Structure formats: C-alpha cells, structure tokens
Amino acid sequence: MTPKIERIVEDCILAEGPHWDEENQCLYFVDMRGTAIYKYVYETKKYTKASTGGKHVSIIIPVKGQKNKFIVTLDREINIINWDGESDKIIVDKKIAEVENNPDTTNLKFNDGKCDPSGRLWVGNRTDIFTLAKHDISGCPDGMAIDVDGNLWIAIFGGSRIIKIDPRTPESLLDSFSLPAKQITSVAFGGPNLDELFVTSARLPTSGEELLPPDNDIEMTPKIERIVENCELAEGPHWDEETQALYFVDIPGKAIYKYVPATKKITKASTGLKHVSLIIPIKGQKDKFLVTLDRELSVISWDGESDKITVDEVITEIENNPETIHNRFNDGKCDPSGRLWAGSISLSESGEFQSGNGSFYSFEKNKVTKFISGVTISNGIAFITERKKMYYIDSPKQTIDELDFDIVNGTVANRNPIFTLARHDIPGSPDGMTIDTDGNLWVALFGGSRVIKIDPRKSETHLDTIRLPAKQITSVAFGGPNLDELYVTSGRLTIGGEELLPPDNGAVFKITGLNARGLPGVSAVL
C-alpha cells in the first residue's frame, strides 16, 4: 500500500528545517522551541541531539568541504558551528551576520532557509503562485521541497497534510496526503535514492488544544478493508446515493450484489444463465435496474433481498450477427444526464478475446448509437462535463483516451490517448475507472495489483499508485456518506495456468483516507 508512513523521531516541540546530507546519508533537522539540533542516520536508524544553549535554531546545513561544520541560525544570528554529530553540545566558531538588530525588530528571529544549487543561503522566502483558500485547504503553508519533475511539496501547518502543486501553472493542485500529526512544518527528500520524503511536525499548544506525542491515537492512511469475498470476477461498482448502497456484479458468476455499509449486509441474486456486466438503478423507479445480460440491455425488478430477479423488458440487443454473435456487453456508465454509455467485448466461438470486433454505444430513449468500432475489450468510462470531455478505455490498447463530449446532443468525437501505461513502466492493463471532484482519474489495473491516479488535463501525468493484495483489479467507484471511500472490485480468473486464491483475489475492497472525493453515481433515465 502506498504511501507508507513511518514515525522515526518523537517528542520534538517544533521540528523544522529537514536537510538531507547525501554524502553522509543522514538527515539533519532542528527543534526550534526545544532549542536543539538533530542528526538521524538512515542505515542505523540512530538519532542524536545537541542543545543550542537556549537560542532558537531554525536551520542546520552542512558546510561543503568542512567536516563537522554547519551553518545554523541562532535567534537573529547566522553562525558557523562545530558539531561531531554525537555530543549533546555545540561549539559556535563564528558569527557570520546578524539581521534586524534594531528597536523595531529586536524580537524577530530567523525562520526557514535553504541553499540554492550554487550553495548560496536564502532565508525568509515566499511564493504567491498558490492560494490555499481557493482550494478549501485548511492550515497554513510552511516548509517545502521540490522534486525532479519540478513539482513543489508543501507542508501545511495545522492542516495535517502535505500538498503537491505544479508551480508552472498557477493554482494547480496535483495531490494531497494526510498525516497523523496536525502541525506539519517542513519536508525534504532523502534516502539512498532520494525517493523518501522526510516530514517534520510540531505539538505547539494553540487555542488551548494540546497535541500529544507521538501520534498513535490517529489512524494512518490509506486504509484497505476487504468487504466482500469469493467472486469470480467482481465488476461494475455503482454507488447509489439515495439508498447509500453499493451495487456490483460478478460477470462469470452471473450474479448481482448489493452491499450496505451501514449494516455491512451483502445480498446476492442470480441472473440465470446470462453474464451480467453492469447494474444501475433507474431514476424514480423503486427496485428497478438497468442491467446487461450477455448482448441484451434489460430492465429488471429486484428488491435487493431475494436471490432471484425478474426481467421486465429487453430494451435492445446488440451485435446480433454472425461475426459478433459471441460478443457480449462489458463495462458501462451513465453520463450526468442519465444517458447510458456501454461497450462490448470481442469474443471468438471458443470464448477467447479476439481483436477488434466489439463496439462502443450510447443508449437513449430506445435509440442505440454506435460511436466507436474496432473495440476489443470496452472498459472504463468517466466524464468531465465542465471540460466537455469523456475518458474511455479499450484495455488491450494500454491507454486511457480522451474524447470531446457533447452532453446535450449525446455525442463524442476526436479520440486521443492521454496516458500510456508503457511510458510509465506500469504493469497490467487498464480496466474500469472513476473520477474525483478534483478532476483526477482513478484507474483499475487488471493484472497489476493496483489502482493508479492520473491527471487527464496534462498528458502522461501519473500522480499516485495504490497497491492492493489482489492481482486482477477490475474497477473502482467512490461512495460512502461523504463520497470519500473508494470501492475496488477484483477477480480471480485462472490465466496462463496461474490460480489466484481467495479471500483477497475475487474480493471487493473499501479504501479510506485518500483525501479525495468522488461524484454521486448517476441513475439511468429511461
């Protein structure tokens, strides 16, 4: 599971200024209120501490080419100190400068600082390219670091989080990560490969609120919970906001499911001999659902309790011709107007996938319109109506594609790939997907044991990965009372002789603590 959060040092009052020393593979940082400097050695996990004699210290940076020499700020002074990294005291060798030594600023002290690539020290800098209020982010921006892609990682004091932003695009929030401490003060990349983020935090009493060390009363994130087991190929999760229930299907198991989180109750009904690939409630009609049964799109009645369904009406049948007679429906979803979009899987007589005989359709008021031909495995669908875009997956293409989307007329056009798995060395094939309120896509990777998060507004932008204990991840949907729980379906098909065992394979998972919210599932309008 990623990200993994590990607490390495405890009991600072106001930890700040993390600096990774690549030469010695150790992290230096300070406790401003505790008036102390620290050294943490990555390999041994040992940390040492030295007092600064009652003076506030805000930065510690090694001096290049001088063993045991550091630049530190002590109150208003910039000093060179001598410290062997073992003893509990420092020696001030030289005062380089003192700032703001006048009656108006006598109580001011240095705060954050950092060296530029030339080794020049800068202190007291700030940025005006991102505004927390515009993104409804609580807390105040504090220390920050930059990654090799040019993105900024910013500690949010009082916000229990780190945010990742793109400074090249004003107000561009890429991601947000929760931490089990409230007062996050600064960040620094480190570790042997510089791919570990070290984060400092504080426990200052503010407004009478006492923050206790270490952090074991706060739940770590994200959390993965298995809620349903023993499906063959769970698919098509749909969160119904009205009933606060999750609906999904088991395609080869030929069954539909209802899961109610409030009671943790699971009910199941058989669809007989026909494969079912989606189940979507019909708006304004109690116990009525739109389902796909092999090649048929049908209306069924189901009370959510019994183990059988009633087929009320077959709306249409697709691909009923000699070339596609073995095809069947696969993934589908309603756009915000309630119009259904769904596609087919191209199958041979023996039931094997064959290339390019499937299609992708819209269904509206008994009208069926084919928009894409040459499909092999029609899968994930998502919409951003504000940008007039649809996102679509034909799994063997190994891409997530973008199309221009006209919700009024119900049309799509101009299909182009915006994310390619091979370019990011990501295993598996893209399957189902969903979208969050920030406009990011969450994509299930069949055979990849993961869900990836991407930004479709910027080509080839991979934001995050969540690893799961099942291999065949099939689809995702946000749900829960606040739409901040990610439901993930999986399969346990035997492919290439590899047998995948339950309970994790073929399970449905609930992931919490992602700092993301989805959109309500849209019911079908007939």
Side-chain angles (χ1 to χ4, degrees), residues 224-459:
I224 299 177
E225 177 186 356
R226 189 174 63 244
I227 58 172
V228 181
E229 300 173 5
N230 292 323
C231 293
E232 293 182 58
L233 185 64
E235 259 281 12
H238 177 98
W239 178 260
D240 182 32
E241 194 168 27
E242 183 177 348
T243 60
Q244 291 290 292
L246 180 77
Y247 293 94
F248 63 96
V249 306
D250 183 350
I251 297 178
K254 300 168 185 171
I256 56 175
Y257 286 78
K258 178 183 181 182
Y259 171 74
V260 181
T263 61
K264 300 189 184 300
K265 182 179 180 181
I266 304 162
T267 48
K268 171 185 175 182
S270 171
T271 57
L273 300 177
K274 294 187 175 181
H275 296 81
V276 56
S277 63
L278 65 84
I279 176 171
I280 300 173
I282 296 174
K283 189 173 182 178
Q285 298 187 41
K286 185 180 179 183
D287 298 338
K288 302 287 185 180
F289 300 87
L290 205 58
V291 299
T292 51
L293 301 174
D294 286 341
R295 294 191 312 275
E296 298 173 351
L297 179 63
S298 301
V299 174
I300 68 164
S301 292
W302 182 44
D303 60 7
E305 298 290 335
S306 59
D307 60 359
K308 292 183 175 62
I309 65 170
T310 301
V311 178
D312 297 335
E313 177 188 2
V314 176
I315 295 175
T316 190
E317 184 177 6
I318 61 167
E319 301 172 10
N320 187 12
N321 61 69
E323 290 80 16
T324 58
I325 196 68
H326 300 291
N327 289 4
R328 60 169 174 78
F329 271 109
N330 201 43
D331 209 357
K333 196 170 290 184
C334 289
D335 66 29
S337 74
R339 178 190 298 114
L340 178 68
W341 298 78
S344 59
I345 285 182
S346 180
L347 297 171
S348 67
E349 185 176 356
S350 63
E352 299 296 320
F353 295 126
Q354 61 180 5
S355 180
N357 265 345
S359 300
F360 181 62
Y361 306 87
S362 74
F363 303 87
E364 183 179 20
K365 296 178 181 177
N366 297 321
K367 178 185 177 184
V368 182
T369 306
K370 181 192 293 187
F371 281 99
I372 303 175
S373 301
V375 172
T376 302
I377 306 176
S378 185
N379 255 316
I381 307 164
F383 307 90
I384 299 183
T385 52
E386 296 82 3
R387 298 187 64 236
K388 298 181 179 180
K389 298 294 182 183
M390 173 193 282
Y391 299 97
Y392 175 68
I393 291 171
D394 180 1
S395 294
K397 286 173 60 65
Q398 295 293 93
T399 62
I400 293 93
D401 298 340
E402 179 185 81
L403 298 94
D404 294 331
F405 172 52
D406 183 340
I407 192 171
V408 176
N409 296 307
T411 59
V412 292
N414 302 321
R415 180 182 177 190
N416 292 295
I418 50 101
F419 192 86
T420 310
L421 265 65
R423 293 189 184 182
H424 302 266
D425 196 26
I426 295 174
S429 298
D431 204 317
M433 68 178 164
T434 190
I435 195 163
D436 63 27
T437 54
D438 295 322
N440 298 313
L441 295 174
W442 299 70
V443 185
L445 273 298
F446 188 93
S449 301
R450 68 195 63 198
V451 173
I452 60 171
K453 178 183 178 183
I454 70 172
D455 184 349
R457 293 152 295 197
K458 289 178 283 188
S459 181

Side-chain angles (χ1 to χ4, degrees), residues 120 137 194 204 206 212 230 232 291 293 301 355 385 467 489 509 516 526:
R120 180 188 297 112
I137 296 174
L194 295 173
L204 300 177
T206 55
L212 299 177
N230 292 323
E232 293 182 58
V291 299
L293 301 174
S301 292
S355 180
T385 52
R467 291 179 172 83
T489 51
F509 302 92
L526 297 183

